[in-house]
Amino acid sequence: MKRVYAKEEYCLGCRLCEVYCVVNHSKSQDIIKSHKLEEITPRLVIESKGIISFALQCRHCDDAACTKACITGALQKDSKTGEVTYDQEKCVGCWTCIMACSYGAIRRDESGQKVISKCDLCGEEESEPACVTNCPNGALVFEDREE
Amino acid sequence: MDYVIIGNSAAGIGAVEGIREVDSKGRITLISDEPYHTYSRPLISYYLANKANWETMKFRSNDFYAENNVETKLGMKAVGINEADKSVNLANGEKIEFDKLLVATGGTPFIPPIEGVDKNNIYNFIKLDDAKSIAGDIENLETGKVVILGAGLIGLKAAEALFKQGLEVIVVELADQVLNAILDDEAAKLVQQHLEEKGINFIFEDTVTQFLGEDKVTGVRLESEKELDCDLAIVAAGVKPNIEVVEETDIEVNQGIIVNNKLKTSITNIYAAGDVAESNNLVRDIKEVVPIWPDAYNQGWTAGKNMAGVKEDYLECFSRNSIGFFGLPMITAGIIEPESDDHEVLVTKNEEEKVYKKIILQNDRIIGFIYLNDIDRAGILTGLIKEKQSITEVKDELLADNFGYLSFNKEWRQERLAK
């Protein structure tokens, strides 16, 4: 399946991936309103230290520890697309997935809801996620690296 | 191929999915003494607190059994196994034949032999029916006082749910701290303080010696001679493997059913997984029962694959828990109170923020950790435990706020992130 990969050599840590992640998951779809009026937790993690930085999204692992740990069935592996899907209605915020994800790619939603925030590849099958499209340096790519 | 699974929770469902990963045609029969569609037992506390309903508690969609071509025998109890003719006896006299059998019967509450423990209004808190009975009772209580015996995961989840339903809750615990199995005394103090601030009462280093009243419980007498009024009591004194169905067989049992890394029991074609199984603990390197949800699912999944003919080992069994009470989350894993001296402990603490982090190292490996309140990215540590990864290179950064993949060298990081 296609996944988002970071090329840390090209990343300047500008956080535009995060900005557009928030916009794309907002109601308003507006860059100002989504940040100022809506409480949206980015669905990716940015690591940065000195001159090195990169963005990290849910890896949609083939053998996903989160789906096998999830106590509610909110996280499941879609056997057709390979995506690790998330059903917010079922989630109770027990954070077992945070315990299970060895990438640390699942976040607690910061708006006070007991739900998680993780990459959904921007929803549309095969279309490019907003973080990739909006990275000015080509430091994020969306590609299929499987054999 | 005829697969039979006894159990309809994490391990049983994991097995269905594991089998179907390999074999789309074989017949699967799933037996459970509970009459319900597969549901999440940990959610009964959410159900009791009105934070989850029957629909949201379902662990898989309504069409799960149909989609996976599973014949269910729900509300039917498996009472015995005939190893010789490879069949399972049900309580209704029916006999189900198998080529491969999985015993995933889970745990059963330990009920201490306390005088009066069989009175009405005294419950366990394991199954949906427990939560339903309690929910039915709390509408008609006279005093609204409840005594909970045990300050473990189940006792405290019951305490939180019942408090949220307006009851006055006293928890009686034999140990001198809450959550003895998953927290050290430092973290336990912070959690206890948080629970007391919210309104839960505790009595430590004491236990119930008698449940008082005629048919219904009206109070408890403690070992300290103290008496407490209550008109509801919960016994949460621990869970033991539910081995009843194998008792008459030659299947090797210690505390639980002994299995190897392929989840095979000592008898050919019979497997066990989940809270009923005793397998090798990755961190402690001994065989033991590790009754946690992710292991149950993963063991079931691996058992299923092996039953379907794929040889696969499950080597990631160790205790780990993520739980929260009144908005205070914690994730703990592995060994949290090491018994030997050859270990190192890293600690950071902010009492005001109720933040506590402790990482236990042995031979440059992480063997356990506690993350209280600040739980973000805890899974990185879980991964390091699983991989038995040497952490020499990142030791000084393990407790830093920005600890992550950048703390490791580029090669290590890219090997994991670029594939």
Side-chain angles (χ1 to χ4, degrees):
Chain A
M1 72 174 291
K2 280 187 165 184
R3 294 181 167 88
V4 179
Y5 295 95
K7 294 180 165 179
E8 63 181 62
E9 300 81 6
Y10 299 112
C11 178
L12 297 183
C14 71
R15 306 188 91 94
L16 277 174
C17 50
E18 194 176 68
V19 169
Y20 283 95
C21 178
V22 166
V23 174
N24 203 42
H25 291 97
S26 69
K27 284 198 185 81
S28 64
Q29 296 288 301
D30 178 274
I31 192 166
I32 307 289
K33 285 180 188 160
S34 61
H35 282 82
K36 299 282 189 186
L37 302 175
E38 298 181 47
E39 278 184 278
I40 298 166
T41 306
R43 300 190 179 201
L44 49 75
V45 173
I46 293 175
E47 288 203 21
S48 139
K49 191 169 73 176
I51 57 164
I52 312 174
S53 56
F54 62 87
L56 173 61
Q57 299 83 351
C58 165
R59 308 316 302 150
H60 298 279
C61 304
D62 288 335
D63 185 15
C66 61
T67 64
K68 291 178 174 174
C70 178
I71 65 166
T72 65
L75 285 165
Q76 290 193 38
K77 182 84 179 163
D78 187 313
S79 56
K80 293 184 187 77
T81 64
E83 190 190 334
V84 170
T85 59
Y86 170 62
D87 179 356
Q88 184 172 322
E89 297 302 313
K90 287 188 79 73
C91 181
V92 294
C94 73
W95 320 131
T96 303
C97 53
I98 292 177
M99 174 183 87
C101 176
S102 64
Y103 292 101
I106 300 177
R107 302 175 64 160
R108 285 185 278 176
D109 186 281
E110 287 155 15
S111 66
Q113 299 177 78
K114 298 213 78 181
V115 296
I116 60 158
S117 175
K118 81 159 201 66
C119 171
D120 59 354
L121 298 170
C122 286
E124 307 293 321
E125 211 175 315
E126 292 297 305
S127 73
E128 193 174 81
C131 56
V132 178
T133 308
N134 292 285
C135 176
N137 292 355
L140 288 170
V141 293
F142 187 51
E143 56 193 33
D144 191 338
R145 292 186 179 177
E146 281 159 32
E147 302 290 300
Chain B
M1 181 70 83
D2 279 334
Y3 303 98
V4 173
I5 298 168
I6 311 173
N8 191 21
S9 191
I13 298 304
V16 169
E17 294 180 342
I19 291 168
R20 286 290 175 245
E21 178 90 354
V22 181
D23 178 354
S24 57
K25 296 209 175 67
R27 256 172 49 159
I28 302 178
T29 307
L30 185 146
I31 304 161
S32 171
D33 58 354
E34 288 184 278
Y36 306 115
H37 184 86
T38 181
Y39 71 94
S40 172
R41 284 191 181 170
L43 292 191
I44 61 169
S45 67
Y46 296 84
Y47 175 87
L48 191 54
N50 297 327
K51 303 284 183 204
N53 58 46
W54 171 236
E55 285 307 313
T56 58
M57 284 177 84
K58 288 179 182 170
F59 181 49
R60 288 293 184 261
S61 63
N62 285 328
D63 54 8
F64 174 82
Y65 302 116
E67 256 184 13
N68 287 284
N69 195 15
V70 176
E71 188 186 334
T72 55
K73 302 265 179 197
L74 303 180
M76 298 187 196
K77 192 173 167 64
V79 291
I81 298 166
N82 317 297
E83 300 126 288
D85 68 352
K86 293 167 75 175
S87 65
V88 176
N89 299 335
L90 303 188
N92 65 4
E94 210 179 326
K95 207 172 194 187
I96 316 268
E97 293 185 351
F98 64 82
D99 294 311
K100 305 277 180 188
L101 171 69
L102 176 71
V103 180
T105 45
T108 191
F110 170 66
I111 301 164
I114 300 169
E115 196 182 335
V117 75
D118 53 354
K119 291 187 199 306
N120 296 334
N121 285 20
I122 301 177
Y123 298 100
N124 300 121
F125 196 53
I126 307 275
K127 295 182 178 186
L128 179 60
D129 282 346
D130 298 329
K132 281 185 172 177
S133 304
I134 295 167
D137 269 13
I138 56 180
E139 291 171 13
N140 313 306
L141 297 182
E142 283 168 35
T143 67
K145 288 181 181 174
V146 55
V147 168
I148 296 174
L149 177 59
L153 295 163
I154 290 172
L156 292 192
K157 271 317 224 188
E160 181 183 23
L162 291 170
F163 182 85
K164 284 178 175 169
Q165 290 296 326
L167 271 63
E168 196 181 319
V169 179
I170 298 185
V171 181
V172 179
E173 166 62 51
L174 191 58
D176 60 358
Q177 66 162 79
V178 297
L179 300 170
N180 203 17
I182 69 160
L183 296 180
D184 65 359
D185 56 347
E186 288 280 315
K189 263 181 227 156
L190 294 172
V191 174
Q192 180 192 333
Q193 186 196 334
H194 181 73
L195 286 161
E196 284 172 342
E197 281 165 14
K198 296 293 174 183
I200 307 288
N201 304 295
F202 289 98
I203 295 175
F204 290 101
E205 296 179 89
D206 206 348
T207 192
V208 174
T209 54
Q210 191 185 351
F211 289 98
L212 308 170
E214 299 288 322
D215 299 337
K216 285 186 169 187
V217 65
T218 56
V220 296
R221 180 172 295 130
L222 304 182
E223 199 171 52
S224 59
E225 302 283 313
K226 199 171 173 181
E227 285 189 12
L228 306 169
D229 292 338
C230 69
D231 44 15
L232 181 73
I234 311 277
V235 176
V239 175
K240 56 183 183 175
N242 185 9
I243 54 172
E244 207 182 338
V245 75
V246 303
E247 269 169 355
E248 303 287 312
T249 70
D250 288 330
I251 296 172
E252 208 183 327
V253 173
N254 185 29
Q255 296 291 312
I257 300 172
I258 296 176
V259 293
N260 67 11
N261 290 335
K262 293 182 171 57
L263 288 310
K264 276 183 169 171
T265 69
S266 59
I267 302 289
T268 315
N269 298 319
I270 302 181
Y271 295 72
D275 293 7
V276 76
E278 184 168 322
S279 66
N280 197 52
N281 181 320
L282 166 91
V283 179
R284 288 158 55 85
D285 204 23
I286 52 167
K287 286 228 180 208
E288 65 175 356
V289 178
V290 178
I292 61 156
W293 186 277
D295 267 338
Y297 181 89
N298 278 299
Q299 289 185 342
W301 166 270
T302 309
K305 287 184 87 171
N306 280 288
M307 289 160 75
V310 172
K311 287 196 164 60
E312 196 174 287
D313 287 332
Y314 179 60
L315 303 169
E316 297 177 354
C317 177
F318 60 99
S319 74
R320 48 204 189 277
N321 285 279
S322 176
I323 197 158
F325 303 99
F326 298 101
L328 180 68
M330 64 207 74
I331 294 179
T332 84
I335 297 170
I336 41 127
E337 294 271 33
E339 281 154 18
S340 63
D341 294 334
D342 58 340
H343 63 270
E344 195 179 339
V345 177
L346 310 175
V347 177
T348 176
K349 189 173 162 182
N350 179 340
E351 270 189 57
E352 215 160 287
E353 303 282 330
K354 294 189 180 115
V355 169
Y356 178 76
K357 285 183 170 185
K358 174 178 178 179
I359 300 176
I360 297 101
L361 308 172
Q362 191 178 45
N363 300 326
D364 290 323
R365 275 169 44 197
I366 300 173
I367 57 165
F369 70 88
I370 296 171
Y371 270 19
L372 177 63
N373 216 356
D374 182 0
I375 58 157
D376 293 337
R377 308 197 82 192
I380 297 177
L381 297 190
T382 312
L384 296 172
I385 294 177
K386 274 191 204 173
E387 284 190 36
K388 299 188 170 182
Q389 174 71 41
S390 160
I391 46 76
T392 315
E393 181 198 353
V394 297
K395 196 169 120 185
D396 296 341
E397 295 183 50
L398 281 173
L399 288 175
D401 286 340
N402 61 355
F403 172 69
Y405 275 63
L406 268 180
S407 306
F408 293 86
N409 67 61
K410 188 173 174 180
E411 199 187 357
W412 189 93
R413 171 165 73 245
Q414 295 213 328
E415 191 195 316
R416 282 158 178 79
L417 298 180
K419 57 177 175 199

